[in-house]
Amino acid sequence: MELLAILKVSEISQDRVDDASTVLKEGAEVEVAITLIDKRTRKVNLSMKAKDSVQEKAVMDDYNSQSTQTSGSTLGDLLKRSER
């Protein structure tokens, strides 16, 4: 059973990458997110950018959760109080 996984150059970095070999070496292990699974053609699209976005969102969600728990106020709450 053969499966083809594709990491397009445009999905390597937020920065422009013209040649994947300048950023990655053949055989290098990288962390990616799966962005598409095509069962018919047995192809899987991968993305390093999407993985980074997921990690950044998780960090921001954690930060927001902690900041509202510790201060008890959101930015909106503080602005409303300052208007009074």
Side-chain angles (χ1 to χ4, degrees):
M1 179 156 69
E2 190 172 312
L3 179 71
L4 178 62
I6 300 169
L7 175 60
K8 296 179 180 178
V9 172
S10 63
E11 293 299 320
I12 291 175
S13 173
Q14 297 290 346
D15 299 326
R16 182 173 173 81
V17 176
D18 291 320
D19 182 3
S21 66
T22 62
V23 180
L24 302 172
K25 300 298 177 209
E26 187 174 334
E29 291 187 20
V30 295
E31 291 185 26
V32 297
I34 297 172
T35 57
L36 176 74
I37 298 174
D38 187 334
K39 293 179 182 178
R40 186 180 59 78
T41 60
R42 306 189 59 73
K43 290 182 183 178
V44 177
N45 287 1
L46 308 172
S47 173
M48 292 172 68
K49 285 192 324 189
K51 186 250 338 159
D52 292 341
S53 295
V54 168
Q55 287 178 331
E56 289 171 6
K57 183 180 181 328
V59 168
M60 289 303 297
D61 289 346
D62 184 49
Y63 173 78
N64 289 335
S65 171
Q66 288 178 6
S67 67
T68 56
Q69 289 173 0
T70 56
S71 69
S73 300
T74 64
L75 179 58
D77 293 335
L78 294 172
L79 291 172
K80 286 178 187 175
R81 285 188 211 141
S82 69
E83 290 175 353
R84 293 180 190 162

